[in-house]
Amino acid sequence: MEQLKIRHILGLRDMSAEEIGFILDTAESLKPILHRHIKKVPPLRGRTIVTLFFEPSTRTKLSFELAAKRLSADTVGISKSMSSVVKGETLIDTTRNIQAMKPDIIVMRHSMAGAPHLIARHVDCSVINAGDGINEHPSQALLDMLTIRDHFGSLKGLKVAIIGDITHSRVAHSNIIGLQKMGARVAVCGPGTMLPPGLAAEGVEVMMRVEEAIEDADVIMALRIQRERQGLPLFPSQREYARKFGINNRRLRAAKENAIIMHPGPINRGVELAPDVADSGRSLILDQVTNGVAVRMALFSLLIAESGDERSPDMERQV
Amino acid sequence: MNRNNWLLLKHGIVIDPSQGIEQEPMDILVEDGRISAIGHQIPPPGSADSGEILDLTGKWVVPGLIDIHVHLREPGQEYKETIETGTRAAAAGGFTAVASMPNTSPPNDSAEITRSILARAKEKGSCRVYPVAAITKGQAGESLTEFGDLLDAGAIAFSDDGLPVSDAAVMRLAMEYSLNFHALIISHAEELSLSRNGCMNLGNVSTRLGLRGIPAAAEEIAIFREIKLAELTGARLHIAHVSTKGSIEIIRRAKEQGVRVTAESAPHYFTLTEEAVEGYNTFAKMNPPLRTEQDREAIIQALADGTLDAIATDHAPHDILEKECEFEAAANGIIGLETALPLTLELVEQGAITPLRMVELISTAPASIIRQDGGSLKQGSPADITVIDPETEYEITRDLFRSRSFNSPFLGRRVRGRAALTICQGRITHQLSR
Ligand SMILES: [Zn+2]
């Protein structure tokens, strides 16, 4: 594979295993740049990337912006309060206006599922979904998969246990889809109020006890927990969550001896992860952050390579 | 002499459940807005230039179609639809009467608004309009509207459609009070505390699309509540837009136990499933939401076996701006008046229902549920007649619609069968140019 076939990164659902592997390989090849003294290379000089965040985010936005700067692209960020959406402009109008300023890529986060898919139908440039509602967060799952692959050499045949709010986690959704495509087994566990229907039908092992989910697991991915959703508490207390669903050393005995710990951050210490687990040698949480920049650099360079200058606008529109 | 003194419909295949006529070639004579004769080889009552003879060989002649669940949007939301455009769409779809839901702005909760709707319909309408009035003032779910006054003004039933009465005690009062007037209560059955955050059916597809789901139980619990209240009060209850298998089982049991309940479903629930939402297709967003294949099959079965009494469209026009947006932000509902007939004919073609049952579901039964004229081609009945060309094949396209809106998930679908001629009170309201 030399080029991505897709024009937008909307979700791992739309990607083949081959494409995911290609993105991870590309990210791998870009990683050395992050360890140099001068962490900047010229390939995207003169290119413009707009970050459009309708939901607050510090880490993801920073990661995307750093990735763009490492490749010498110009970045402009628009947040919800700055945008005209608060003034009643529709999402389509807002993005058409941004489109008229000729960016190469729009990176978008939105509280509603499918919002990036909607704007992708209305702009000529590429769209990267940086998280849409409770649907997907593809770049996060890609960086998670890169981290796992780095550690184990391959994703095939691994067992990944995802623990926490599976219903409302776009990170979990993208990871489930991506990991399965790459040949890993996925088990999930969380409070019953946070387990959506239909997972078993997709081949996910849905467990009611954390010990069962992490049994023989190679990877344990804990998710950030939020107690209230739309005003309703989904579990009785953080204390009980920590006791029944938190990852601690005792529980980890069920996993493989060399199992690794991951978390998309920010961590509620002592809730999702016991502090000694979060800081242990098995925790790859900070590698995830570094890999995030590499994956996003890969997405930018592949999308811009795909929409190379030689192609006519008409051709692009047909894709 | 006036050329429109009479209208003689010759050689059509008559289907009329009210007389047990199942596909019999017959003639129908229309005079003074009524059916003055139905039978074999009726001679023209006067000279050829005093009336009109139509040869309907190969066409089905049925009592005018009646849709008891329509949103005409007037007053207040004329950018979506008006009484004029909505009833024109109705006539084009073969309907001679529609019941208009009260969630206009302001809602139809007073005799004055009911009268204004009827006046508008008389002036601009292409079919009969039967206003459904709100159960509670402002559809706020608190205090009852003036049922007596509203009925006197011409309202035919009560419903807080779109904003269901969430307090069971208020619904109980409404049913008790309806007894004084033998009035019909139409329930949009939805337990809001379960459905509130959802925008499509809860299930595998909602998980796959990352959209919050509405469980079937939100509808089923509410239907069970309404049935128990109807049992308690003895009120006449009609359940709108049934969408789940579980709802059907509850209604079936209630009917067996003699509760006075009738129920309808809409063509989209027996034609589509939640899979239509794929790609965040806002034209497949409605409330209740499209359900699963099992539900779809159960609805077809219930239409055939009589558990469901009627087909109604829940015609819900919306401007494109209310649909061309984020799925969660998009308005609920689709237009249905101009697609109902071909979609129902698909059931006939599949052998799920007979043509006779189809006419019962979409004309005779709706008339009897709302206790209004129509649904019959008996001699002396008002001349509300629909002529169907069951063979014509075509694609549903935007320019087909007389409605002001085109929010339909059926755009691009190949269908067969269409209203060729619609006659309302003896007046031709729609005629397909050949
Ligand atoms: Zn309704």
Side-chain angles (χ1 to χ4, degrees):
Chain A
M1 188 171 250
E2 285 170 13
Q3 273 203 341
L4 278 186
K5 288 192 198 75
I6 43 175
R7 235 187 82 205
H8 308 288
I9 306 293
L10 299 175
L12 295 195
R13 243 187 105 195
D14 318 317
M15 283 185 210
S16 64
E18 195 190 6
E19 276 167 324
I20 293 170
F22 179 50
I23 293 168
L24 298 185
D25 292 343
T26 309
E28 198 66 63
S29 70
L30 292 167
K31 248 167 92 172
I33 298 169
L34 301 175
H35 298 288
R36 293 183 194 167
H37 282 295
I38 296 170
K39 300 177 181 61
K40 193 161 181 154
V41 289
L44 300 190
R45 194 185 294 148
R47 303 297 195 147
T48 310
I49 291 164
V50 173
T51 58
L52 193 52
F53 277 63
F54 293 98
E55 253 188 4
S57 152
T58 353
R59 294 168 175 243
T60 307
K61 193 157 178 273
L62 177 66
S63 179
F64 271 110
E65 283 177 359
L66 267 181
K69 290 187 202 304
R70 297 288 184 247
L71 297 169
S72 306
D74 296 318
T75 61
V76 190
I78 298 170
S79 60
K80 187 177 185 174
S81 51
M82 279 165 68
S83 73
S84 315
V85 173
V86 285
K87 295 173 201 148
E89 191 177 51
T90 71
L91 179 61
I92 293 169
D93 285 337
T94 303
T95 46
R96 277 185 184 146
N97 268 285
I98 293 167
Q99 162 70 25
M101 299 175 211
K102 310 290 176 203
D104 296 282
I105 295 176
I106 294 176
V107 177
M108 180 174 156
R109 169 167 288 190
H110 198 282
S111 62
M112 292 185 193
H117 308 64
L118 175 70
I119 69 155
R121 290 198 287 265
H122 291 273
V123 294
D124 294 328
C125 66
S126 291
V127 176
I128 297 179
N129 177 4
D132 62 326
I134 59 170
N135 183 34
E136 280 216 46
H137 191 352
S139 62
Q140 174 73 40
L142 289 166
L143 74 88
D144 289 338
M145 289 193 280
L146 182 63
T147 308
I148 300 170
R149 207 181 72 163
D150 271 1
H151 188 84
F152 290 103
S154 161
L155 292 158
K156 218 181 182 86
L158 296 180
K159 176 176 173 182
V160 181
I162 307 178
I163 312 297
D165 185 350
I166 311 298
T167 300
H168 302 97
S169 172
R170 50 196 175 207
V171 176
H173 298 160
S174 288
N175 264 306
I176 290 170
I177 298 163
L179 287 165
Q180 288 191 326
K181 283 189 178 175
M182 301 310 282
R185 273 167 68 200
V186 181
V188 301
C189 181
T193 51
M194 297 174 159
L195 296 173
L199 289 179
E202 304 278 331
V204 178
E205 298 164 37
V206 182
M207 300 301 178
M208 288 302 148
R209 288 180 58 239
V210 174
E211 288 79 357
E212 292 168 344
I214 66 181
E215 193 179 329
D216 290 325
D218 301 282
V219 180
I220 292 126
M221 204 180 274
L223 301 173
R224 183 178 166 78
I225 215 78
Q226 190 185 325
R227 184 158 167 259
E228 279 199 10
R229 289 277 169 185
Q230 277 113 7
L232 273 185
L234 297 188
F235 55 89
S237 67
Q238 290 212 337
R239 184 178 154 275
E240 177 155 299
Y241 186 89
R243 284 169 55 111
K244 295 294 173 191
F245 303 97
I247 306 299
N248 53 34
N249 277 319
R250 180 179 53 79
R251 264 197 188 116
L252 273 179
R253 274 184 234 135
K256 284 203 182 135
E257 210 169 329
N258 60 348
I260 58 168
I261 307 291
M262 298 172 72
H263 191 294
I267 305 173
N268 291 311
R269 273 179 181 266
V271 183
E272 301 114 18
L273 292 177
D276 51 345
V277 172
D279 301 331
S280 71
R282 345 170 96 182
S283 164
L284 298 189
I285 294 170
L286 296 176
D287 301 67
Q288 289 174 269
V289 179
T290 311
N291 286 335
V293 180
V295 155
R296 287 159 184 139
M297 286 166 73
L299 294 177
F300 288 150
S301 43
L302 291 173
L303 286 176
I304 287 180
E306 191 271 342
S307 69
D309 284 334
E310 297 81 0
R311 308 185 62 190
S312 73
D314 283 350
M315 279 176 66
E316 286 185 33
R317 227 168 266 127
Q318 284 169 11
V319 178
Chain B
M1 243 185 130
N2 189 333
R3 210 179 122 68
N4 295 322
N5 267 358
W6 51 266
L7 181 63
L8 183 55
L9 308 176
K10 290 210 66 92
H11 312 307
I13 302 162
V14 171
I15 306 169
D16 181 6
S18 78
Q19 305 178 75
I21 302 171
E22 187 162 12
Q23 303 198 63
E24 198 179 330
M26 289 175 111
D27 298 346
I28 291 175
L29 179 63
V30 174
E31 286 176 295
D32 301 324
R34 295 198 165 262
I35 294 172
S36 59
I38 174 166
H40 299 278
Q41 289 165 6
I42 297 173
S47 63
D49 59 356
S50 66
E52 195 177 356
I53 300 175
L54 291 173
D55 181 359
L56 301 179
T57 307
K59 308 279 196 295
W60 293 359
V61 182
V62 309
L65 310 186
I66 300 171
D67 187 346
I68 55 176
H69 198 126
V70 168
H71 298 273
L72 291 178
R73 304 297 189 207
E74 195 177 342
Q77 296 170 323
E78 289 83 356
Y79 67 98
K80 298 178 194 241
E81 192 81 285
T82 62
I83 290 169
E84 183 177 1
T85 58
T87 58
R88 217 185 289 152
F95 290 92
T96 54
V98 298
S100 64
M101 285 294 152
N103 59 337
T104 45
S105 69
N108 179 15
D109 62 358
S110 72
E112 189 193 340
I113 297 171
T114 298
R115 275 193 291 269
S116 78
I117 291 169
L118 286 169
R120 194 78 182 153
K122 196 169 178 195
E123 185 194 353
K124 299 276 188 185
S126 300
C127 71
R128 296 173 194 257
V129 174
Y130 297 125
V132 175
I135 293 174
T136 61
K137 286 180 188 141
Q139 289 195 286
E142 286 160 13
S143 59
L144 300 184
T145 56
E146 293 170 315
F147 283 16
D149 210 27
L150 283 157
L151 290 164
D152 291 344
I156 56 98
F158 297 89
S159 178
D160 273 2
D161 187 50
L163 287 165
V165 178
S166 59
D167 190 322
V170 174
M171 185 51 102
R172 176 185 171 187
L173 291 177
M175 288 195 189
E176 286 170 343
Y177 194 55
S178 76
L179 298 173
N180 297 87
F181 310 99
H182 310 286
L184 177 70
I185 301 286
I186 300 176
S187 168
H188 165 128
E190 178 182 357
E191 173 53 49
L192 288 169
S193 66
L194 288 174
S195 63
R196 202 157 23 218
N197 301 318
C199 58
M200 72 169 295
N201 184 48
L202 176 76
N204 300 5
V205 181
S206 66
T207 300
R208 210 193 308 149
L209 292 178
L211 292 169
R212 290 180 177 83
I214 300 171
E219 174 176 316
E220 292 155 6
I221 288 169
I223 289 181
F224 192 73
R225 180 194 89 169
E226 309 300 45
I227 283 172
K228 283 291 151 190
L229 291 174
E231 206 176 3
L232 172 71
T233 59
R236 212 149 56 81
L237 168 67
H238 177 73
I239 309 283
H241 42 58
V242 171
S243 74
T244 81
K245 186 181 177 189
S247 299
I248 286 160
E249 283 160 6
I250 294 166
I251 294 163
R252 187 174 288 139
R253 206 170 318 132
K255 285 187 163 186
E256 282 163 9
Q257 290 165 357
V259 181
R260 288 212 293 176
V261 59
T262 53
E264 79 196 24
S265 188
H268 39 276
Y269 300 119
F270 64 69
T271 309
L272 301 176
T273 67
E274 57 185 354
E275 299 282 345
V277 175
E278 194 67 49
Y280 304 95
N281 176 13
T282 57
F283 280 9
K285 182 180 178 187
M286 67 275 296
N287 186 23
L290 294 171
R291 307 284 188 180
T292 67
E293 180 60 16
Q294 275 194 336
D295 296 303
R296 192 183 76 85
E297 285 165 8
I299 285 163
I300 294 174
Q301 173 61 37
L303 289 168
D305 71 21
T307 307
L308 289 173
D309 302 270
I311 291 170
T313 67
D314 198 2
H315 178 82
H318 289 293
D319 187 81
I320 187 62
L321 283 177
E322 294 162 306
K323 285 290 193 183
E324 203 179 63
C325 60
E326 302 89 322
F327 189 87
E328 290 171 58
N332 278 313
I334 63 166
I335 57 168
L337 285 165
E338 294 167 87
T339 49
L341 179 57
L343 295 173
T344 307
L345 282 164
E346 287 183 7
L347 295 184
V348 176
E349 188 163 322
Q350 292 155 15
I353 57 172
T354 61
L356 190 75
R357 178 67 184 148
M358 177 188 98
V359 177
E360 201 166 59
L361 284 165
I362 202 164
S363 174
T364 312
S368 84
I369 290 168
I370 60 171
R371 298 192 175 170
Q372 299 295 322
D373 282 343
S376 174
L377 298 174
K378 276 187 190 141
Q379 188 179 355
S381 305
D384 289 4
I385 303 168
T386 301
V387 175
I388 299 167
D389 178 347
E391 294 304 329
T392 178
E393 279 186 54
Y394 58 104
E395 185 183 319
I396 294 172
T397 55
R398 195 178 149 178
D399 41 281
L400 197 86
F401 294 138
R402 309 306 198 278
S403 170
R404 179 158 279 185
S405 297
F406 61 94
N407 50 312
S408 170
F410 300 109
L411 285 168
R413 190 183 183 93
R414 296 285 310 173
V415 292
R416 196 207 302 224
R418 198 169 169 183
L421 175 70
T422 310
I423 300 166
C424 183
Q425 294 169 279
R427 182 168 69 99
I428 292 178
T429 52
H430 158 76
Q431 191 163 18
L432 210 58
S433 48
R434 2 188 48 232

